[in-house]
Amino acid sequence: MSELIRVAKTFIGYAKRPDLYPELGRKIFKNIFNRKSAFRGKEKTAEWAKSKAVSQEVAIENLFGIKMQNFAEIFPSELQESSQKEKDCPIKMGGAGALELIYYSCEFANAKNAVETGVAYGWSSLAALLSLEKRDGTLYSSDMPYLGQDGDQYVGCIVPEKLKKNWKLFRHADKESLPKIFGENGSFDVVHYDSDKSYEGRTWAYNELYKHLRKGGVFLSDDIGDNSAYQDFCEKNSIETSVVEFEGKFVGLFIK
Ligand SMILES: C[S@@+](CC[C@H](N)C(=O)[O-])C[C@H]1O[C@@H](n2cnc3c(N)ncnc32)[C@H](O)[C@@H]1O
């Protein structure tokens, strides 16, 4: 599909969804006035993240005192079933991240309530839900519909039916979804950020998520090397964070 058709489809998709008009306005503003925001402070943060980075296994042991087992060992059939669903999905979305980190964060925090931004196929949702279901807990997720690919119905498509009773998916931009989610539940055991990667998007959401994370809960953010928003947020709030290197990218996490 040519880029022009994709842009036109996205625009038409937005036009049909008045609830997404605020995000459309923000995207237009960002593309005209704030194009460099995606990479602000990237160089400084790349060095900082590299100097702190450890493996998932080491972070899980150091922070949570848990010996990590690979997801494929603990949940082989779920992983196989979901991988097949991803292969069968007709549209392309963001792939799986550090699943063990998410799963063990929920285990450590004995999580009953978790919130995540960014779902795509639903790999991070699956990791959180496999822990939350043990306590009959709830995962609140936020993701934009994939308007350019007619992909609305595929967001979260790899999540097994049996886990959906523990899952609430909010289909708006974070700036609309998160206030709705916090309106339903004010305190979370685990928060995971993996959506809008701009400096401003992150900074706004980090502050909101942090406010609603209980003391002793776990904060996670993917792709913290994209710009310096996560490092700046931690430094501003005197947070001592861990950094995990995973498939050439960096994930930040800390216990509040
Ligand atoms: C990297 S993917 C998420 C991957 C997922 N967490 C996982 O590990 O399987 C990023 C997602 O963020 C969503 N997204 C981007 N900007 C957003 C926004 N402003 N509000 C809500 N979702 C957004 C995209 O639609 C995309 O599905």
Side-chain angles (χ1 to χ4, degrees):
M1 192 193 318
S2 85
E3 183 60 13
L4 203 64
I5 295 174
R6 197 188 60 77
V7 171
K9 271 189 147 182
T10 303
F11 206 77
I12 293 165
Y14 268 115
K16 287 193 213 148
R17 294 280 302 265
D19 55 320
L20 295 174
Y21 288 179
E23 182 65 11
L24 178 62
R26 288 191 291 266
K27 277 206 159 48
I28 292 171
F29 183 88
K30 191 168 79 189
N31 280 324
I32 297 174
F33 300 109
N34 218 354
R35 291 186 76 87
K36 292 203 184 113
S37 133
F39 307 110
R40 187 187 310 162
K42 187 177 165 81
E43 273 171 29
K44 147 184 119 168
T45 289
E47 257 174 59
W48 171 82
K50 211 160 185 47
S51 73
K52 291 177 86 68
V54 295
S55 66
Q56 278 205 92
E57 206 165 8
V58 169
I60 288 167
E61 174 100 52
N62 288 352
L63 268 179
F64 306 148
I66 302 176
K67 189 136 195 56
M68 181 187 112
Q69 263 186 292
N70 287 330
F71 218 60
E73 282 170 57
I74 331 173
F75 301 110
S77 58
E78 286 85 351
L79 209 58
Q80 205 184 355
E81 196 188 309
S82 291
S83 300
Q84 189 54 50
K85 285 189 179 161
E86 181 183 325
K87 281 194 197 115
D88 296 341
C89 179
I91 70 159
K92 279 279 145 273
M93 296 186 266
L99 300 183
E100 286 84 359
L101 218 46
I102 299 166
Y103 174 75
Y104 284 110
S105 295
C106 293
E107 290 289 284
F108 166 79
N110 244 321
K112 284 215 64 158
N113 289 294
V115 58
E116 70 170 355
T117 71
V119 175
Y121 291 111
W123 285 109
S124 51
S125 319
L126 173 69
L129 283 164
L130 284 168
S131 171
L132 285 160
E133 72 148 353
K134 298 183 195 175
R135 286 157 237 109
D136 200 20
T138 306
L139 173 67
Y140 296 76
S141 304
S142 161
D143 202 307
M144 290 274 295
Y146 276 65
L147 299 171
Q149 301 188 66
D150 291 332
D152 216 356
Q153 72 271 33
Y154 298 110
V155 168
C157 65
I158 65 110
V159 173
E161 278 311 309
K162 66 169 187 185
L163 294 177
K164 289 192 176 160
K165 65 179 186 342
N166 297 98
W167 193 28
K168 293 190 174 188
L169 176 55
F170 290 71
R171 310 303 313 282
H172 310 280
D174 295 339
K175 284 215 166 133
E176 280 68 51
S177 291
L178 286 180
K180 285 191 171 65
I181 291 172
F182 297 143
E184 286 199 16
N185 188 69
S187 171
F188 289 86
D189 306 297
V190 174
V191 301
H192 175 215
Y193 187 79
D194 189 19
S195 51
D196 175 3
K197 303 293 161 75
S198 70
Y199 189 100
E200 282 77 16
R202 285 177 188 274
T203 303
W204 175 81
Y206 288 160
N207 283 305
E208 286 301 306
L209 292 166
Y210 188 66
K211 250 193 280 177
H212 292 90
L213 178 66
R214 73 159 165 87
K215 199 154 173 32
V218 182
F219 189 109
L220 292 150
S221 175
D222 271 45
D223 300 330
I224 59 164
D226 291 349
N227 51 50
S228 64
Y230 182 78
Q231 180 186 0
D232 295 346
F233 167 77
C234 288
E235 286 173 358
K236 196 167 156 215
N237 292 289
S238 307
I239 291 163
E240 190 49 60
T241 183
S242 298
V243 175
V244 167
E245 188 166 8
F246 181 80
E247 294 179 350
K249 293 179 167 187
F250 297 105
V251 182
L253 79 159
F254 62 85
I255 300 167
K256 185 171 175 182

PDB file of all heavy atoms in Angstrom, residues 107-134:
ATOM      1  N   GLU A 107       3.948 -10.467  39.400  1.00  0.00           N
ATOM      2  CA  GLU A 107       4.089 -11.492  40.441  1.00  0.00           C
ATOM      3  C   GLU A 107       4.646 -10.861  41.718  1.00  0.00           C
ATOM      4  O   GLU A 107       4.138 -11.091  42.820  1.00  0.00           O
ATOM      5  CB  GLU A 107       5.043 -12.602  39.959  1.00  0.00           C
ATOM      6  CG  GLU A 107       4.481 -13.458  38.863  1.00  0.00           C
ATOM      7  CD  GLU A 107       3.364 -14.382  39.351  1.00  0.00           C
ATOM      8  OE1 GLU A 107       3.668 -15.395  40.009  1.00  0.00           O
ATOM      9  OE2 GLU A 107       2.194 -14.061  39.073  1.00  0.00           O
ATOM     10  N   PHE A 108       5.708 -10.064  41.579  1.00  0.00           N
ATOM     11  CA  PHE A 108       6.349  -9.440  42.731  1.00  0.00           C
ATOM     12  C   PHE A 108       5.372  -8.530  43.478  1.00  0.00           C
ATOM     13  O   PHE A 108       5.299  -8.541  44.706  1.00  0.00           O
ATOM     14  CB  PHE A 108       7.567  -8.618  42.270  1.00  0.00           C
ATOM     15  CG  PHE A 108       8.085  -7.672  43.318  1.00  0.00           C
ATOM     16  CD1 PHE A 108       8.886  -8.134  44.361  1.00  0.00           C
ATOM     17  CD2 PHE A 108       7.762  -6.316  43.283  1.00  0.00           C
ATOM     18  CE1 PHE A 108       9.345  -7.265  45.343  1.00  0.00           C
ATOM     19  CE2 PHE A 108       8.203  -5.446  44.259  1.00  0.00           C
ATOM     20  CZ  PHE A 108       9.006  -5.921  45.290  1.00  0.00           C
ATOM     21  N   ALA A 109       4.608  -7.746  42.711  1.00  0.00           N
ATOM     22  CA  ALA A 109       3.694  -6.766  43.326  1.00  0.00           C
ATOM     23  C   ALA A 109       2.390  -7.417  43.768  1.00  0.00           C
ATOM     24  O   ALA A 109       1.503  -6.735  44.277  1.00  0.00           O
ATOM     25  CB  ALA A 109       3.402  -5.635  42.340  1.00  0.00           C
ATOM     26  N   ASN A 110       2.278  -8.753  43.566  1.00  0.00           N
ATOM     27  CA  ASN A 110       1.018  -9.427  43.887  1.00  0.00           C
ATOM     28  C   ASN A 110      -0.143  -8.675  43.250  1.00  0.00           C
ATOM     29  O   ASN A 110      -1.166  -8.403  43.908  1.00  0.00           O
ATOM     30  CB  ASN A 110       0.814  -9.432  45.396  1.00  0.00           C
ATOM     31  CG  ASN A 110       0.815 -10.845  45.924  1.00  0.00           C
ATOM     32  OD1 ASN A 110       0.263 -11.756  45.263  1.00  0.00           O
ATOM     33  ND2 ASN A 110       1.411 -11.046  47.082  1.00  0.00           N
ATOM     34  N   ALA A 111       0.029  -8.348  42.006  1.00  0.00           N
ATOM     35  CA  ALA A 111      -0.855  -7.361  41.373  1.00  0.00           C
ATOM     36  C   ALA A 111      -2.306  -7.821  41.255  1.00  0.00           C
ATOM     37  O   ALA A 111      -2.581  -8.940  40.835  1.00  0.00           O
ATOM     38  CB  ALA A 111      -0.308  -7.014  39.993  1.00  0.00           C
ATOM     39  N   LYS A 112      -3.185  -6.915  41.638  1.00  0.00           N
ATOM     40  CA  LYS A 112      -4.634  -7.100  41.408  1.00  0.00           C
ATOM     41  C   LYS A 112      -5.104  -6.116  40.340  1.00  0.00           C
ATOM     42  O   LYS A 112      -6.084  -6.345  39.654  1.00  0.00           O
ATOM     43  CB  LYS A 112      -5.418  -6.864  42.708  1.00  0.00           C
ATOM     44  CG  LYS A 112      -5.298  -8.050  43.658  1.00  0.00           C
ATOM     45  CD  LYS A 112      -6.570  -8.286  44.436  1.00  0.00           C
ATOM     46  CE  LYS A 112      -7.703  -8.668  43.525  1.00  0.00           C
ATOM     47  NZ  LYS A 112      -8.805  -9.374  44.130  1.00  0.00           N
ATOM     48  N   ASN A 113      -4.381  -4.985  40.248  1.00  0.00           N
ATOM     49  CA  ASN A 113      -4.723  -3.988  39.236  1.00  0.00           C
ATOM     50  C   ASN A 113      -3.456  -3.495  38.532  1.00  0.00           C
ATOM     51  O   ASN A 113      -2.515  -3.064  39.205  1.00  0.00           O
ATOM     52  CB  ASN A 113      -5.425  -2.789  39.874  1.00  0.00           C
ATOM     53  CG  ASN A 113      -6.820  -3.158  40.333  1.00  0.00           C
ATOM     54  OD1 ASN A 113      -7.693  -3.452  39.520  1.00  0.00           O
ATOM     55  ND2 ASN A 113      -7.010  -3.197  41.644  1.00  0.00           N
ATOM     56  N   ALA A 114      -3.473  -3.581  37.215  1.00  0.00           N
ATOM     57  CA  ALA A 114      -2.339  -3.077  36.440  1.00  0.00           C
ATOM     58  C   ALA A 114      -2.877  -2.236  35.299  1.00  0.00           C
ATOM     59  O   ALA A 114      -4.006  -2.442  34.839  1.00  0.00           O
ATOM     60  CB  ALA A 114      -1.513  -4.238  35.893  1.00  0.00           C
ATOM     61  N   VAL A 115      -2.052  -1.264  34.858  1.00  0.00           N
ATOM     62  CA  VAL A 115      -2.456  -0.442  33.703  1.00  0.00           C
ATOM     63  C   VAL A 115      -1.303  -0.429  32.705  1.00  0.00           C
ATOM     64  O   VAL A 115      -0.140  -0.383  33.108  1.00  0.00           O
ATOM     65  CB  VAL A 115      -2.865   0.988  34.145  1.00  0.00           C
ATOM     66  CG1 VAL A 115      -1.758   1.714  34.877  1.00  0.00           C
ATOM     67  CG2 VAL A 115      -3.323   1.826  32.960  1.00  0.00           C
ATOM     68  N   GLU A 116      -1.640  -0.525  31.416  1.00  0.00           N
ATOM     69  CA  GLU A 116      -0.606  -0.429  30.383  1.00  0.00           C
ATOM     70  C   GLU A 116      -1.083   0.487  29.267  1.00  0.00           C
ATOM     71  O   GLU A 116      -2.274   0.549  28.965  1.00  0.00           O
ATOM     72  CB  GLU A 116      -0.260  -1.809  29.802  1.00  0.00           C
ATOM     73  CG  GLU A 116      -1.368  -2.404  28.964  1.00  0.00           C
ATOM     74  CD  GLU A 116      -0.962  -3.651  28.182  1.00  0.00           C
ATOM     75  OE1 GLU A 116       0.214  -4.032  28.194  1.00  0.00           O
ATOM     76  OE2 GLU A 116      -1.869  -4.250  27.556  1.00  0.00           O
ATOM     77  N   THR A 117      -0.101   1.190  28.665  1.00  0.00           N
ATOM     78  CA  THR A 117      -0.410   1.968  27.467  1.00  0.00           C
ATOM     79  C   THR A 117       0.330   1.313  26.307  1.00  0.00           C
ATOM     80  O   THR A 117       1.507   0.999  26.427  1.00  0.00           O
ATOM     81  CB  THR A 117       0.047   3.437  27.608  1.00  0.00           C
ATOM     82  OG1 THR A 117       1.470   3.483  27.563  1.00  0.00           O
ATOM     83  CG2 THR A 117      -0.456   4.067  28.899  1.00  0.00           C
ATOM     84  N   GLY A 118      -0.370   1.047  25.214  1.00  0.00           N
ATOM     85  CA  GLY A 118       0.233   0.369  24.061  1.00  0.00           C
ATOM     86  C   GLY A 118      -0.020  -1.117  24.118  1.00  0.00           C
ATOM     87  O   GLY A 118       0.495  -1.820  24.994  1.00  0.00           O
ATOM     88  N   VAL A 119      -0.847  -1.617  23.203  1.00  0.00           N
ATOM     89  CA  VAL A 119      -1.242  -3.028  23.220  1.00  0.00           C
ATOM     90  C   VAL A 119      -0.750  -3.753  21.961  1.00  0.00           C
ATOM     91  O   VAL A 119      -0.174  -4.836  22.042  1.00  0.00           O
ATOM     92  CB  VAL A 119      -2.788  -3.155  23.316  1.00  0.00           C
ATOM     93  CG1 VAL A 119      -3.229  -4.604  23.211  1.00  0.00           C
ATOM     94  CG2 VAL A 119      -3.280  -2.555  24.630  1.00  0.00           C
ATOM     95  N   ALA A 120      -0.994  -3.174  20.803  1.00  0.00           N
ATOM     96  CA  ALA A 120      -0.681  -3.810  19.502  1.00  0.00           C
ATOM     97  C   ALA A 120      -1.282  -5.217  19.448  1.00  0.00           C
ATOM     98  O   ALA A 120      -2.459  -5.390  19.735  1.00  0.00           O
ATOM     99  CB  ALA A 120       0.822  -3.784  19.246  1.00  0.00           C
ATOM    100  N   TYR A 121      -0.481  -6.258  19.161  1.00  0.00           N
ATOM    101  CA  TYR A 121      -1.044  -7.619  19.125  1.00  0.00           C
ATOM    102  C   TYR A 121      -1.558  -8.059  20.506  1.00  0.00           C
ATOM    103  O   TYR A 121      -2.447  -8.898  20.602  1.00  0.00           O
ATOM    104  CB  TYR A 121       0.019  -8.636  18.704  1.00  0.00           C
ATOM    105  CG  TYR A 121       0.462  -8.534  17.277  1.00  0.00           C
ATOM    106  CD1 TYR A 121       1.752  -8.102  16.975  1.00  0.00           C
ATOM    107  CD2 TYR A 121      -0.391  -8.871  16.233  1.00  0.00           C
ATOM    108  CE1 TYR A 121       2.183  -8.016  15.661  1.00  0.00           C
ATOM    109  CE2 TYR A 121       0.030  -8.781  14.918  1.00  0.00           C
ATOM    110  CZ  TYR A 121       1.313  -8.350  14.638  1.00  0.00           C
ATOM    111  OH  TYR A 121       1.735  -8.257  13.334  1.00  0.00           O
ATOM    112  N   GLY A 122      -0.902  -7.529  21.556  1.00  0.00           N
ATOM    113  CA  GLY A 122      -1.340  -7.905  22.904  1.00  0.00           C
ATOM    114  C   GLY A 122      -0.341  -8.754  23.672  1.00  0.00           C
ATOM    115  O   GLY A 122      -0.696  -9.396  24.663  1.00  0.00           O
ATOM    116  N   TRP A 123       0.934  -8.737  23.252  1.00  0.00           N
ATOM    117  CA  TRP A 123       1.926  -9.566  23.950  1.00  0.00           C
ATOM    118  C   TRP A 123       2.147  -9.113  25.390  1.00  0.00           C
ATOM    119  O   TRP A 123       2.198  -9.931  26.306  1.00  0.00           O
ATOM    120  CB  TRP A 123       3.260  -9.568  23.183  1.00  0.00           C
ATOM    121  CG  TRP A 123       3.210 -10.416  21.968  1.00  0.00           C
ATOM    122  CD1 TRP A 123       3.197  -9.990  20.668  1.00  0.00           C
ATOM    123  CD2 TRP A 123       3.153 -11.855  21.914  1.00  0.00           C
ATOM    124  NE1 TRP A 123       3.127 -11.075  19.814  1.00  0.00           N
ATOM    125  CE2 TRP A 123       3.108 -12.226  20.556  1.00  0.00           C
ATOM    126  CE3 TRP A 123       3.128 -12.852  22.885  1.00  0.00           C
ATOM    127  CZ2 TRP A 123       3.040 -13.558  20.145  1.00  0.00           C
ATOM    128  CZ3 TRP A 123       3.063 -14.183  22.474  1.00  0.00           C
ATOM    129  CH2 TRP A 123       3.030 -14.518  21.127  1.00  0.00           C
ATOM    130  N   SER A 124       2.294  -7.796  25.580  1.00  0.00           N
ATOM    131  CA  SER A 124       2.507  -7.313  26.954  1.00  0.00           C
ATOM    132  C   SER A 124       1.243  -7.555  27.786  1.00  0.00           C
ATOM    133  O   SER A 124       1.319  -7.878  28.982  1.00  0.00           O
ATOM    134  CB  SER A 124       2.866  -5.825  26.960  1.00  0.00           C
ATOM    135  OG  SER A 124       1.920  -5.095  26.209  1.00  0.00           O
ATOM    136  N   SER A 125       0.074  -7.449  27.137  1.00  0.00           N
ATOM    137  CA  SER A 125      -1.192  -7.714  27.842  1.00  0.00           C
ATOM    138  C   SER A 125      -1.223  -9.165  28.290  1.00  0.00           C
ATOM    139  O   SER A 125      -1.598  -9.479  29.428  1.00  0.00           O
ATOM    140  CB  SER A 125      -2.393  -7.438  26.932  1.00  0.00           C
ATOM    141  OG  SER A 125      -2.206  -6.270  26.174  1.00  0.00           O
ATOM    142  N   LEU A 126      -0.823 -10.057  27.404  1.00  0.00           N
ATOM    143  CA  LEU A 126      -0.799 -11.496  27.728  1.00  0.00           C
ATOM    144  C   LEU A 126       0.090 -11.740  28.948  1.00  0.00           C
ATOM    145  O   LEU A 126      -0.307 -12.447  29.895  1.00  0.00           O
ATOM    146  CB  LEU A 126      -0.270 -12.300  26.528  1.00  0.00           C
ATOM    147  CG  LEU A 126      -0.032 -13.786  26.769  1.00  0.00           C
ATOM    148  CD1 LEU A 126      -1.355 -14.532  26.963  1.00  0.00           C
ATOM    149  CD2 LEU A 126       0.740 -14.424  25.601  1.00  0.00           C
ATOM    150  N   ALA A 127       1.295 -11.143  28.944  1.00  0.00           N
ATOM    151  CA  ALA A 127       2.240 -11.369  30.055  1.00  0.00           C
ATOM    152  C   ALA A 127       1.629 -10.909  31.379  1.00  0.00           C
ATOM    153  O   ALA A 127       1.708 -11.612  32.396  1.00  0.00           O
ATOM    154  CB  ALA A 127       3.543 -10.630  29.778  1.00  0.00           C
ATOM    155  N   ALA A 128       1.004  -9.735  31.379  1.00  0.00           N
ATOM    156  CA  ALA A 128       0.405  -9.217  32.617  1.00  0.00           C
ATOM    157  C   ALA A 128      -0.799 -10.067  33.030  1.00  0.00           C
ATOM    158  O   ALA A 128      -0.954 -10.427  34.207  1.00  0.00           O
ATOM    159  CB  ALA A 128      -0.016  -7.757  32.422  1.00  0.00           C
ATOM    160  N   LEU A 129      -1.629 -10.420  32.044  1.00  0.00           N
ATOM    161  CA  LEU A 129      -2.864 -11.160  32.367  1.00  0.00           C
ATOM    162  C   LEU A 129      -2.578 -12.551  32.935  1.00  0.00           C
ATOM    163  O   LEU A 129      -3.318 -13.033  33.804  1.00  0.00           O
ATOM    164  CB  LEU A 129      -3.736 -11.271  31.116  1.00  0.00           C
ATOM    165  CG  LEU A 129      -4.494  -9.991  30.753  1.00  0.00           C
ATOM    166  CD1 LEU A 129      -5.016 -10.052  29.313  1.00  0.00           C
ATOM    167  CD2 LEU A 129      -5.643  -9.748  31.721  1.00  0.00           C
ATOM    168  N   LEU A 130      -1.506 -13.178  32.474  1.00  0.00           N
ATOM    169  CA  LEU A 130      -1.200 -14.527  32.974  1.00  0.00           C
ATOM    170  C   LEU A 130      -0.846 -14.489  34.463  1.00  0.00           C
ATOM    171  O   LEU A 130      -1.031 -15.469  35.181  1.00  0.00           O
ATOM    172  CB  LEU A 130      -0.064 -15.160  32.163  1.00  0.00           C
ATOM    173  CG  LEU A 130      -0.505 -15.665  30.784  1.00  0.00           C
ATOM    174  CD1 LEU A 130       0.700 -16.013  29.905  1.00  0.00           C
ATOM    175  CD2 LEU A 130      -1.436 -16.874  30.906  1.00  0.00           C
ATOM    176  N   SER A 131      -0.368 -13.358  34.927  1.00  0.00           N
ATOM    177  CA  SER A 131      -0.138 -13.214  36.375  1.00  0.00           C
ATOM    178  C   SER A 131      -1.417 -12.736  37.077  1.00  0.00           C
ATOM    179  O   SER A 131      -1.829 -13.299  38.093  1.00  0.00           O
ATOM    180  CB  SER A 131       1.001 -12.219  36.632  1.00  0.00           C
ATOM    181  OG  SER A 131       1.092 -11.932  38.003  1.00  0.00           O
ATOM    182  N   LEU A 132      -2.062 -11.724  36.516  1.00  0.00           N
ATOM    183  CA  LEU A 132      -3.249 -11.127  37.153  1.00  0.00           C
ATOM    184  C   LEU A 132      -4.389 -12.124  37.349  1.00  0.00           C
ATOM    185  O   LEU A 132      -5.107 -12.077  38.344  1.00  0.00           O
ATOM    186  CB  LEU A 132      -3.758  -9.949  36.306  1.00  0.00           C
ATOM    187  CG  LEU A 132      -2.925  -8.674  36.388  1.00  0.00           C
ATOM    188  CD1 LEU A 132      -3.203  -7.778  35.190  1.00  0.00           C
ATOM    189  CD2 LEU A 132      -3.223  -7.917  37.680  1.00  0.00           C
ATOM    190  N   GLU A 133      -4.551 -13.036  36.393  1.00  0.00           N
ATOM    191  CA  GLU A 133      -5.703 -13.967  36.479  1.00  0.00           C
ATOM    192  C   GLU A 133      -5.601 -14.852  37.723  1.00  0.00           C
ATOM    193  O   GLU A 133      -6.602 -15.318  38.242  1.00  0.00           O
ATOM    194  CB  GLU A 133      -5.832 -14.822  35.220  1.00  0.00           C
ATOM    195  CG  GLU A 133      -4.774 -15.878  35.092  1.00  0.00           C
ATOM    196  CD  GLU A 133      -5.257 -17.149  34.377  1.00  0.00           C
ATOM    197  OE1 GLU A 133      -6.468 -17.274  34.095  1.00  0.00           O
ATOM    198  OE2 GLU A 133      -4.412 -17.999  34.119  1.00  0.00           O
ATOM    199  N   LYS A 134      -4.379 -15.063  38.215  1.00  0.00           N
ATOM    200  CA  LYS A 134      -4.217 -15.902  39.420  1.00  0.00           C
ATOM    201  C   LYS A 134      -4.903 -15.273  40.628  1.00  0.00           C
ATOM    202  O   LYS A 134      -5.249 -15.944  41.575  1.00  0.00           O
ATOM    203  CB  LYS A 134      -2.728 -16.068  39.754  1.00  0.00           C
ATOM    204  CG  LYS A 134      -1.912 -16.754  38.707  1.00  0.00           C
ATOM    205  CD  LYS A 134      -0.490 -16.893  39.231  1.00  0.00           C
ATOM    206  CE  LYS A 134       0.478 -17.238  38.117  1.00  0.00           C
ATOM    207  NZ  LYS A 134       1.875 -17.256  38.595  1.00  0.00           N
TER     208      LYS A 134
END
